[in-house]
Amino acid sequence: MRILIVEDEPRTAAGLQTGLAAAGFTPEISTRGDDAVELISTQSYDAVVMDIMLPGCDGLTAVRRLRSRSNSTPILLLSALGEVDQRIDGLNAGADDYLAKPFAIGEVVARLQALTRRGGDTKAILLRVADLALDVPHRIASRGGRQIELSAREFRLLEVLMQQAGQVCPRSLLLREVWDYNFDPGTNLVDVYIRKLREKIDSGSTPALLHTIRGVGYMLSENAP
Ligand code: CA
C-alpha cells in the first residue's frame, strides 16, 4: 500500500512516515501542495494523507485540483483542532475523510485502512446530493458548507434517503430502516420527521432536495420528480 504524506512540517512528516511504515504501508513524503498534485496525478498511490496548511498550494486547493482532473485517490485531510468549518470545506472539496491535529498515529492507520479497503468507493463514508453532504462516521450534515444540526433519528432518516437518492422511498421502508417498525403504526410519524428534516435541509437553499411523492413516500433528489 503506497501512501503519499503531504506535510511541510518535518517532525510531523517524519512521525507519520515512521508510524505508517511500522503498520505495513509504504509511505513517501511531499512537502508542497502543488508538487503533491503532480505526483498524485502521475503516480499510483493507494491513499494520501494531506495537511491543509502547505506551501505551493493549500491542501483544499490540492484536493479540488485532483478531483477536477477526475483523480479519485482516497485523501485523508489533516486539519487543526476545532476547525469544523475547515473540515466541512475539506469534505466539500472532495476529501474522503479528515482528522484533527494533534492525532494519534493509530487513528491515522485505522482511517487509511478504512479508506484503502473501500478502494476509492467513498459512498459509505460521505454521502452527497447536490451541495448536501452527510459525513456518516463523524455524524456531520452540511448543505453548501453550512453545518446542519440533526437529532440521531433525523440523521438516520437523512442517511437512508441519501443512500436511495433519486429513488422513491416508501413510508414502509423508512419505518423499517429508521424506526425498526415492520408494520405501519398508523400515525403520521414519518411525515412529522420529514417536515422537520425538510425545514433543516431545504429552507433558505435551492433547489429543494426533499420531495413528497403523494401516496407513495419521499425522494431525495436534485431534480424535482
Ligand atoms: Ca503544514
Short mmCIF file of all heavy atoms in Angstrom, two decimals, residues 7-9 51-55 101, ligand 1:
data_model
loop_
_atom_site.label_atom_id
_atom_site.label_comp_id
_atom_site.label_asym_id
_atom_site.label_seq_id
_atom_site.Cartn_x
_atom_site.Cartn_y
_atom_site.Cartn_z
N GLU A 7 3.04 16.95 3.82
CA GLU A 7 3.19 17.68 5.09
C GLU A 7 4.52 18.42 5.06
O GLU A 7 5.55 17.83 4.75
CB GLU A 7 3.13 16.66 6.24
CG GLU A 7 3.49 17.19 7.61
CD GLU A 7 2.60 18.31 8.09
OE1 GLU A 7 2.90 19.49 7.78
OE2 GLU A 7 1.60 18.02 8.77
N ASP A 8 4.47 19.72 5.33
CA ASP A 8 5.70 20.53 5.27
C ASP A 8 6.40 20.61 6.61
O ASP A 8 7.53 21.08 6.68
CB ASP A 8 5.38 21.94 4.77
CG ASP A 8 4.36 22.64 5.65
OD1 ASP A 8 3.39 21.98 6.07
OD2 ASP A 8 4.54 23.84 5.91
N GLU A 9 5.74 20.18 7.67
CA GLU A 9 6.37 20.27 8.99
C GLU A 9 7.19 18.99 9.18
O GLU A 9 6.62 17.90 9.26
CB GLU A 9 5.28 20.41 10.05
CG GLU A 9 5.70 21.15 11.29
CD GLU A 9 6.39 20.22 12.27
OE1 GLU A 9 5.76 19.25 12.69
OE2 GLU A 9 7.59 20.47 12.58
N ASP A 51 -1.92 17.52 4.70
CA ASP A 51 -2.10 18.65 5.61
C ASP A 51 -2.86 19.74 4.86
O ASP A 51 -2.88 19.76 3.63
CB ASP A 51 -0.71 19.15 6.04
CG ASP A 51 -0.80 20.17 7.16
OD1 ASP A 51 -1.78 20.13 7.94
OD2 ASP A 51 0.11 21.02 7.25
N ILE A 52 -3.50 20.66 5.58
CA ILE A 52 -4.21 21.75 4.89
C ILE A 52 -3.27 22.94 4.64
O ILE A 52 -3.20 23.47 3.53
CB ILE A 52 -5.47 22.18 5.68
CG1 ILE A 52 -6.52 21.07 5.59
CG2 ILE A 52 -6.03 23.50 5.12
CD1 ILE A 52 -7.85 21.37 6.24
N MET A 53 -2.52 23.34 5.67
CA MET A 53 -1.61 24.47 5.50
C MET A 53 -0.31 23.98 4.87
O MET A 53 0.47 23.28 5.51
CB MET A 53 -1.30 25.11 6.86
CG MET A 53 -2.51 25.69 7.55
SD MET A 53 -3.25 27.05 6.64
CE MET A 53 -2.03 28.33 6.96
N LEU A 54 -0.12 24.34 3.60
CA LEU A 54 1.05 23.85 2.85
C LEU A 54 1.60 24.96 1.95
O LEU A 54 0.83 25.79 1.47
CB LEU A 54 0.63 22.69 1.92
CG LEU A 54 0.25 21.36 2.54
CD1 LEU A 54 -0.43 20.49 1.49
CD2 LEU A 54 1.48 20.65 3.11
N PRO A 55 2.90 24.95 1.67
CA PRO A 55 3.41 25.87 0.65
C PRO A 55 3.04 25.36 -0.75
O PRO A 55 2.68 24.20 -0.91
CB PRO A 55 4.93 25.82 0.87
CG PRO A 55 5.20 24.51 1.54
CD PRO A 55 3.95 24.15 2.31
N LYS A 101 -5.69 17.63 14.11
CA LYS A 101 -4.40 17.62 14.80
C LYS A 101 -4.62 18.12 16.23
O LYS A 101 -5.44 19.01 16.42
CB LYS A 101 -3.43 18.58 14.10
CG LYS A 101 -2.89 18.08 12.79
CD LYS A 101 -1.96 19.16 12.23
CE LYS A 101 -1.17 18.62 11.04
NZ LYS A 101 -0.23 19.63 10.53
CA CA B 1 1.61 22.46 7.38
#
